[in-house]
Amino acid sequence: MELPAPLLIFRKTSIHIYLFLLLSLVVFLITYSSYVLPSSSSVTSLANLIWPNPKFAKKSKEKLPFAIGETKEGCNVFNGKWIWDEKRPLYEESECPFIQPQLTCQEHGRPDKDYQHWRWQPHDCSLPSFNATLMLETLRGKRMLFVGDSVNRGQYVSMVCLVHRIIPENAKSMNTVGSFDVFNIKDYNATIEFYWAPFLLESNSDNPGKHRIEERVVRKDSINTHGKYWKGADIIVFNTYIWWRTGFKFNILQGSFDDKVKDIVEVSTEEAYRMAMKSLLRWIKKNMDPKKTRVFFSSMSPSHERSIDWGGEPNKNCYNETKMIEDPNYWGSDCRKSIMQVISQEFGKSKMPISFLNITQLSSYRKEAHTTIYKKQWSKLTQEQLANPYSYADCLHWCLPGLQDTWNELLFTKLFYP
């Protein structure tokens, strides 16, 4: 940048003044850069690990399938705050018969309802209201598919609850077949589906009913084992994270699960996750038409299993929490930034227009929104557990109605107003 004429004169007459000004400029730039490029612990830098992706930003200028408008330029809908809203929840727990008993917190005795009344408000714009009629008309003759783990199943159930009230009783049904949960909407010739694949790749945890296995193993390059069932979907929402949290090493099968002697290698969790992301992106490129279909990928869903993360007492968790975390820079130890980096690096290489649902930070504040002990238990609780609710509180899954309805409002926004 060319210096103004007065400064050039000063430089000629006094080298010391010039050096002083130059030093001042350097100090200013350092200070300024620390402002626009926050530290790794800040909200903005964490979001920027993935979003925006310059390649996707360029493609998003083209009209994407199902889009009817645009989000206000410069508005990041994932950057905002929670505000109290008396008009919420968007539906009542008792009104939606499709919520699984693992998520019906009121039915199982939760005494408070405050967690149902919070609405996400972006800083620079507002989210459009969820329009069930528009969603159903868009899905007419089409197939919407959620793929992933039980957290993604919760978002799937939330979506069903958001649309089912305007569908006549005799024109809707829910069926479970193998790894599929399928919500049929007869009059629209449409389905909203969930497919159980916690790693997306083939694994030893693929049985939707019996998957509690300590030594988890994922088979390399096996995306088609599940992917063959995803073909033909018009809208797909992927997620995978919580099942990878087994430590810093992960077991990868290089052969087949049918081999008598299995060739299993141990790699870093980041390397294993990167392998899954590369496989997913190859599958998307091969099987999804960007002119006709939409692909979404949700970031990691936070858990709140360590109360010391938010200044609580040791050996406690989300149980009995009724207020959210107010620190805007909060980032829990359960959400590994190294995994976020892997997603950023691999998705950044893709030329496919994949919409990223960055739900991690906004969900991290919501330590009070988990199911905790207010759910159907998988097995009978022991006397020791009953004496210590913290020992069996579920801090992974979320009550419905609740937080995951907001995820679907964000999905709705990105689908129709990218």
Side-chain angles (χ1 to χ4, degrees):
M1 181 177 68
E2 186 176 346
L3 291 170
L7 291 182
L8 290 174
I9 295 172
F10 280 135
R11 184 178 63 178
K12 292 177 181 178
T13 59
S14 176
I15 189 65
H16 297 292
I17 295 177
Y18 172 76
L19 291 174
F20 173 78
L21 291 172
L22 183 62
L23 180 60
S24 299
L25 179 61
V26 171
V27 171
F28 170 77
L29 289 175
I30 292 174
T31 304
Y32 179 74
S33 66
S34 67
Y35 175 73
V36 297
L37 296 175
S39 63
S40 61
S41 62
S42 71
V43 176
T44 305
S45 64
L46 288 168
N48 284 344
L49 286 175
I50 299 181
W51 189 263
N53 177 342
K55 291 182 179 179
F56 179 77
K58 181 179 179 181
K59 281 188 171 295
S60 65
K61 294 178 181 179
E62 304 170 7
K63 186 174 180 181
L64 295 170
F66 312 115
I68 61 174
E70 295 181 354
T71 299
K72 177 184 174 183
E73 186 175 357
C75 177
N76 180 352
V77 296
F78 306 109
N79 187 14
K81 62 181 180 180
W82 290 99
I83 61 174
W84 183 264
D85 190 343
E86 288 288 353
K87 296 180 180 180
R88 296 175 86 90
L90 299 177
Y91 56 89
E92 294 294 334
E93 178 184 298
S94 59
E95 294 174 349
C96 186
F98 306 107
I99 306 177
Q100 295 167 308
Q102 287 79 21
L103 306 177
T104 50
C105 299
Q106 293 297 309
E107 179 185 352
H108 288 88
R110 179 159 180 167
D112 66 300
K113 286 188 175 182
D114 284 1
Y115 66 92
Q116 298 182 353
H117 289 281
W118 293 101
R119 174 170 59 84
W120 182 249
Q121 176 61 56
H123 288 316
D124 300 317
C125 60
S126 294
L127 295 179
S129 299
F130 186 93
N131 187 324
T133 301
L134 173 59
M135 179 62 76
L136 288 176
E137 285 297 336
T138 301
L139 291 178
R140 187 179 292 276
K142 293 181 173 58
R143 179 186 177 204
M144 184 179 198
L145 175 63
F146 292 78
V147 177
D149 54 35
S150 54
V151 172
N152 216 24
R153 182 192 279 125
Q155 185 175 356
Y156 155 74
V157 173
S158 163
M159 179 62 75
V160 170
C161 291
L162 287 167
V163 302
H164 94 96
R165 284 186 298 178
I166 65 173
I167 307 170
E169 285 299 321
N170 62 352
K172 59 190 174 187
S173 63
M174 177 74 78
N175 300 289
T176 299
V177 180
S179 296
F180 273 106
D181 292 335
V182 181
F183 182 65
N184 289 281
I185 312 167
K186 183 179 178 182
D187 293 344
Y188 290 83
N189 188 30
T191 60
I192 304 175
E193 309 172 20
F194 169 77
Y195 183 91
W196 170 263
F199 296 102
L200 303 183
L201 304 180
E202 183 183 4
S203 76
N204 62 347
S205 304
D206 287 344
N207 187 313
K210 298 179 181 179
H211 47 252
R212 296 197 167 195
I213 299 172
E214 290 187 12
E215 289 294 325
R216 296 169 182 171
V217 180
V218 170
R219 186 164 76 90
K220 184 179 180 180
D221 298 331
S222 58
I223 192 79
N224 289 324
T225 299
H226 299 304
K228 61 188 176 184
Y229 299 108
W230 312 335
K231 293 180 180 180
D234 300 281
I235 302 168
I236 302 187
V237 183
F238 291 103
N239 96 312
T240 180
Y241 175 64
I242 59 174
W243 282 73
W244 298 90
R245 299 187 313 155
T246 57
F248 295 98
K249 297 291 183 179
F250 208 89
N251 294 319
I252 300 298
L253 174 65
Q254 300 199 98
S256 167
F257 280 108
D258 295 327
D259 294 341
K260 291 183 179 180
V261 179
K262 295 177 175 56
D263 183 9
I264 296 176
V265 297
E266 188 179 69
V267 301
S268 70
T269 301
E270 287 76 13
E271 183 179 346
Y273 195 88
R274 188 182 301 277
M275 176 194 69
M277 293 301 97
K278 286 183 176 180
S279 294
L280 174 62
L281 290 169
R282 286 194 296 268
W283 186 91
I284 292 172
K285 182 178 180 180
K286 182 178 180 180
N287 294 283
M288 300 299 288
D289 183 348
K291 295 182 179 180
K292 298 179 180 179
T293 62
R294 290 290 297 279
V295 179
F296 296 84
F297 187 88
S298 293
S299 64
M300 57 188 73
S301 173
S303 63
H304 293 89
E305 299 169 316
R306 292 162 49 88
S307 58
I308 58 173
D309 282 356
W310 58 86
E313 299 178 26
N315 303 317
K316 290 189 176 182
N317 51 34
C318 69
Y319 170 67
N320 223 21
E321 294 286 350
T322 58
K323 298 184 181 300
M324 70 176 69
I325 295 168
E326 296 183 356
D327 178 6
N329 295 327
Y330 174 78
W331 188 265
S333 60
D334 59 295
C335 295
R336 290 167 64 171
K337 298 175 189 176
S338 57
I339 296 295
M340 293 283 275
Q341 286 283 10
V342 170
I343 300 171
S344 175
Q345 291 163 2
E346 296 306 321
F347 278 61
K349 301 173 186 176
S350 175
K351 296 181 180 179
M352 293 291 291
I354 302 169
S355 299
F356 185 74
L357 300 177
N358 198 357
I359 53 87
T360 305
Q361 187 70 56
L362 63 92
S363 304
S364 291
Y365 306 132
R366 301 300 306 276
K367 62 180 170 62
E368 91 297 359
H370 292 285
T371 55
T372 68
I373 66 171
Y374 304 108
K375 53 177 285 185
K376 179 181 179 180
Q377 302 298 328
W378 288 96
S379 56
K380 186 176 180 180
L381 299 172
T382 65
Q383 289 300 317
E384 290 78 8
Q385 287 176 313
L386 291 171
N388 180 18
Y390 293 98
S391 66
Y392 67 95
D394 182 348
C395 298
L396 285 174
H397 300 95
W398 310 92
C399 297
L400 285 180
L403 170 66
Q404 291 186 296
D405 301 319
T406 295
W407 296 2
N408 278 322
E409 289 178 292
L410 291 163
L411 171 59
F412 179 90
T413 300
K414 286 297 183 181
L415 178 64
F416 295 111
Y417 305 94

